[in-house]
Amino acid sequence: MGLAKRIIPCLDVTDGRVVKGVNFLELRDAGDPVEIARRYDEQGADELTFLDITASSDNRGLILHIIEEVASQVFIPLTVGGGVRAVEDVRRLLNAGADKVSINTSAVTNPQLVADASSRFGSQCIVVAIDAKQVGDHWEVFTHGGRQATGIDAVEWARKMVELGAGELLVTSMDRDGTKIGFNLPLNRAISDAVDVPIIASGGVGNLVHLVEGVKEGGADAVLAASIFHYGEYTVRQAKEYMRDHGIEVRL
Amino acid sequence: MTHIAVVDYGMGNLRSVSKALEHVAPGHKVLVTSDPAQIAAASRVVFPGQGAMPDCVRELDARGLRDAVIAAAAEKPFLGICIGLQLLFEHSEEGNAAGLGVFAGKVKRFAAADMHDVEGAKLKVPHMGWNQVYQSQSHPLWRGIEDGERFYYVHSYYVAPEDQSLDAGFSEYPARFTSCVARNNIFAAQFHPEKSHNAGLKLLSNFVQWDGGN
């Protein structure tokens, strides 16, 4: 027995509430973030990820209060992302109780941020989120919640981010996000094979088979899902039992 | 009652550690401090740490904390966490750095290129996530914790003590490595008890009640 594959429920937070959309659109309210975090913790979640998708800068501070409250009650690793633009943003989130900070758009507009943040706080707390979409025969990095193409090859980008100091990569398939048809397995496999750091697969989970595929075929070290947990279709524990029954080592 | 000092030398987020200690020890004062006098006055000391070991040593010395930490490790219940375990040893491969030398031995890096699981899949470095911890000796800090319980790790380096009798717990990735050491009043773990859910809280709770003996 050895290291367990991780299940990470993801909470998209806007204006202090958890929401979930389809392809980053049509947001539905899913509840109070602290309450949801506690529920997943009790169900045996291995980590929690919060993505702050608050559009207005007025409400950006809300996420800090939410993280502070969760961190004083939930003793598993917490990752926070969304709107991280500067080393100071990373510091604020870590001080609020985040264990890892996820950098997305700013990694593209300012790759030095990844290097600076990881040299200051350690690569163990720097996650680079890669949003990728299939373009022709390869995958391309998109930013701004999937709206903006960058022309950057996603696998090359993954290598570069690890060289700069990313300790983990969160790979989201923009074609799949919110669709419930499963992860983009070739994308995850290509990135997992290209780097030494752990990969979190994200985008498209609709059932428990998808989680198993993400690990076995996609080479993921952790699987991230939102809607299958938010709306009570499955508990985290059910997901773990299913993975265990399919030969995957999990923490139960 | 005096306080529990969490040594702050500017490396890593100590909020998780202090929150978890407050959670398991509601009657105790938890002080995150970089003041050597507060460390000397504490009834017990937690020595955490994140980031690269050479930076940790430099920051520790920049704050004049080396002697206070070594003194605490010699006399009162002392819990090292993550880099706080590695720093107790003589030398690390990370940046070819000298540690505090409380224990003889080296800190080594996982050889990512040669590491595979039983099915032949590549193992990642850092070793990140929940792994089973096997207790190689009985210890007051293991009280109420099952042998083989999972704890949360995130690290690329591990300790190799010269004296195997220091080994208090180990994990496999894929080879066995020492993940906890214990000697007299010192217990130190590579994993993060403050992030290891109920098992981690239990270990912290045991530490808070520990008199430093066996």
Side-chain angles (χ1 to χ4, degrees), chain B residues 112-133:
Chain B
D114 314 325
M115 289 168 35
H116 297 86
D117 67 14
V118 285
E119 283 162 10
K122 178 170 83 168
L123 290 176
K124 304 299 183 71
V125 175
H127 171 229
M128 184 187 287
W130 301 79
N131 204 339
Q132 289 185 290
V133 176

Side-chain angles (χ1 to χ4, degrees), chain A residues 1-2 75 95 99 249, chain B residues 15 122 130 132 150 195 197:
Chain A
M1 299 296 272
F75 299 99
N95 282 348
D99 299 287
E249 192 166 348
Chain B
R15 193 184 169 89
K122 178 170 83 168
W130 301 79
Q132 289 185 290
R150 289 184 187 274
K195 285 288 147 186
H197 204 244

